[in-house]
Amino acid sequence: MREERLLERIRRWEEEPSGRGRENPKRTIDSVVRHLQRLLNTRQGSAQIAEDYGSPDFAHLLQGGPEAPVDVETVIRDVIEKYEPRLTGVRVRYAAHDDEKLTHRFDVQARIQGDARPIYLETLVGLDGHIQVKG
């Protein structure tokens, strides 16, 4: 079962024993969004799993001038490709976010491994560097 991470599967099996063995695409996307939220809000060097697990301080990166959004696109894509193996064909694009100037929006397009349909996620980076991922 590739749709959920190990601890999510164990928790769901305890709460819903009859659901074992049934795949649910929405559950997979929800699990990926939760993981990306944690992954992108973890600062590199703060997790024991690996020194490069997580992301650098986006608030600092976004102050780097006009090329900063392109640098952040690259970082987001690289982090997702390395630490979210359920996603393939990851593309990240900076999107101007006119309605709220205090955030930067990055659109993520990818595919769940084994599924040809693309998924679209919205990643909002606040001035404080906090990241919100929406599916």
Side-chain angles (χ1 to χ4, degrees):
M1 177 183 292
R2 63 176 165 65
E3 64 188 22
E4 294 174 301
R5 300 179 57 155
L6 177 61
L7 294 177
E8 291 172 328
R9 288 191 307 254
I10 292 170
R11 186 177 312 115
R12 188 176 51 78
W13 288 343
E14 288 176 350
E15 295 170 357
E16 186 185 326
S18 63
R20 288 185 182 189
R22 287 185 281 160
E23 289 197 23
N24 181 336
K26 180 171 178 3
R27 192 176 316 166
T28 302
I29 293 169
D30 291 346
S31 175
V32 166
V33 167
R34 282 190 304 272
H35 181 235
L36 291 179
Q37 180 89 23
R38 283 190 298 268
L39 174 64
L40 294 172
N41 280 296
T42 300
R43 293 296 155 247
Q44 287 179 339
S46 67
Q48 293 180 352
I49 189 171
E51 277 296 312
D52 65 343
Y53 182 86
S55 61
D57 183 1
F58 286 124
H60 179 72
L61 275 177
L62 286 167
Q63 295 173 4
E67 71 284 345
V70 175
D71 295 340
V72 173
E73 286 175 353
T74 302
V75 168
I76 291 172
R77 185 192 70 239
D78 291 349
V79 168
I80 291 172
E81 286 177 343
K82 183 165 187 173
Y83 286 107
E84 183 43 88
R86 294 173 291 181
L87 294 182
T88 61
V90 177
R91 292 191 305 202
V92 180
R93 184 180 59 84
Y94 179 70
H97 202 240
D98 294 333
D99 54 335
E100 195 171 323
K101 296 187 185 330
L102 300 178
T103 60
H104 296 273
R105 190 177 98 208
F106 295 86
D107 294 330
V108 177
Q109 178 182 340
R111 289 183 310 282
I112 300 289
Q113 194 151 11
D115 191 345
R117 295 172 294 172
I119 64 168
Y120 301 93
L121 306 173
E122 180 181 80
T123 304
L124 300 172
V125 181
L127 288 179
D128 61 354
H130 182 76
I131 296 152
Q132 184 178 13
V133 181
K134 298 178 181 180

